[in-house]
Amino acid sequence: MSAIVSRLIHSPSSVSRALSSGLLNYGRLLSTESNRVDEPLKVEETETVKAPPPPSEKLLVLGGNGFVGSHVCKEALDQGLSVSSLSRSGRSSIRESWADKVEWLQGSLLVPESWKDVMNDVTAVISCVGGFGSNSYMYKINGTSNINAIRAAAEKAGVKRFVYISAADFGLVNYLLQGYYEGKRAAEAELLTKFTYGGVILRPGFIYGTRQVGSMKIPLGLIGSPLEMVLQHAKPLNRLPLVGPLLTPPVNVTAVAKVAVRAANDPVFPPGIVDVHGILRYSERK
């Protein structure tokens, strides 16, 4: 080993040749690397995958052409929902621009064959169905009709929430309208059973607002609004036996509609029964 080193030291030509060879190889290396950088990158084209559009929220309003139902339809459209309405008479008589955006369907909840396909693609239901008459008739309209709808909705995997607009207790009035309240409470019980986590029951008192009958508008607010202001300050009287419930304050129809749509569209809205005071609180929230 020492002999080899000695020869290299005493032989400048050997050292020169070694350095030249090393520099030449290094230059080739640089040249090769620079060529690689200059070469354009080849990018292979891949197939574009189109993501499916987000599912649209479709709301079915039962009794959507009535006083409360029409306000619910309008509020739902304002919230950007797709809205359809099912009622015995079909299309509403309201001639306003928003009404043209609703899918008006005709059918009777007492005749399931007339509306067997209306809940396809529906994600939530709001029932505004109710009526007065004989006790047997009131039970059918307020109870049986809504029970049929609740059961049909429960069989649809896409329906996640069901909101039922019921009625507050009015003490003595409950006995005078026995079929009305028995039907309401039977529908409520069915809803809480079938939609444990997505069933909401609204119990408003007297609902006031502008009611349209044909081309005529009836301003129920002229009575309801002042009465609400008075009875809001008389809440302690609600605890009086028998007559106390009669003093339940009225509620504006727009407040009921706003809370109903929110309950149907908001997955964190708590299930269960919401009384008139709860409706007023929820309607004041944004």
Side-chain angles (χ1 to χ4, degrees):
M1 181 68 180
S2 60
I4 294 172
V5 172
S6 177
R7 288 176 184 173
L8 290 173
I9 294 173
H10 292 90
S11 179
S13 61
S14 299
V15 175
S16 177
R17 285 194 299 270
L19 290 173
S20 299
S21 176
L23 290 173
L24 181 60
N25 290 335
Y26 182 68
R28 288 174 180 171
L29 181 60
L30 288 177
S31 176
T32 302
E33 292 299 323
S34 62
N35 290 340
R36 289 178 183 174
V37 173
D38 293 339
E39 291 178 357
L41 295 175
K42 295 181 179 180
V43 180
E44 295 183 359
E45 294 184 1
T46 58
E47 183 181 354
T48 303
V49 178
K50 295 182 179 180
S56 58
E57 300 294 325
K58 184 176 181 180
L59 175 67
L60 173 64
V61 181
L62 304 177
N65 61 356
F67 171 48
V68 177
S70 60
H71 284 80
V72 170
C73 289
K74 185 177 184 300
E75 175 66 25
L77 289 171
D78 290 342
Q79 296 300 322
L81 302 179
S82 174
V83 181
S84 60
S85 166
L86 175 69
S87 61
R88 288 177 295 175
S89 56
R91 183 177 174 83
S92 172
S93 60
I94 296 176
R95 295 294 179 261
E96 296 181 12
S97 58
W98 65 263
D100 295 331
K101 301 176 184 178
V102 178
E103 180 185 11
W104 301 101
L105 306 171
Q106 187 172 9
S108 172
L109 292 178
L110 293 174
V111 185
E113 294 79 12
S114 66
W115 52 275
K116 60 181 180 179
D117 297 324
V118 299
M119 292 192 184
N120 293 342
D121 303 323
V122 168
T123 55
V125 179
I126 298 178
S127 177
C128 311
V129 173
F132 297 95
S134 65
N135 278 327
S136 60
Y137 176 81
M138 287 191 292
Y139 187 90
K140 283 183 180 180
I141 295 299
N142 297 282
T144 307
S145 293
N146 287 297
I147 290 173
N148 288 344
I150 292 167
R151 290 175 178 175
E155 294 176 357
K156 298 291 184 179
V159 180
K160 304 301 182 184
R161 302 184 70 81
F162 195 113
V163 180
Y164 176 43
I165 300 180
S166 185
D169 285 321
F170 281 101
L172 289 174
V173 177
N174 291 27
Y175 296 98
L176 299 175
L177 300 173
Q178 187 174 358
Y180 179 87
Y181 279 96
E182 286 182 354
K184 292 283 189 184
R185 300 303 174 248
E188 291 179 1
E190 187 70 20
L191 179 59
L192 295 178
T193 300
K194 291 293 191 295
F195 286 87
T196 307
Y197 302 105
V200 178
I201 298 166
L202 304 184
R203 286 184 176 178
F206 169 67
I207 301 176
Y208 69 88
T210 302
R211 183 165 191 161
Q212 186 163 338
V213 180
S215 59
M216 183 173 59
K217 294 184 177 181
I218 304 175
L220 298 178
L222 294 178
I223 300 174
S225 184
L227 192 58
E228 178 184 6
M229 294 180 63
V230 171
L231 294 181
Q232 281 288 355
H233 294 86
K235 288 181 180 179
L237 299 179
N238 291 348
R239 301 186 182 91
L240 293 175
L242 298 180
V243 298
L246 294 175
L247 302 176
T248 300
V251 59
N252 193 302
V253 65
T254 56
V256 176
K258 183 182 295 185
V259 177
V261 172
R262 182 184 172 192
N265 194 41
D266 187 352
V268 300
F269 194 100
I273 300 173
V274 179
D275 64 9
V276 63
H277 304 298
I279 290 173
L280 293 172
R281 286 195 299 272
Y282 278 115
S283 66
E284 291 170 356
R285 300 177 184 177
K286 294 183 178 180

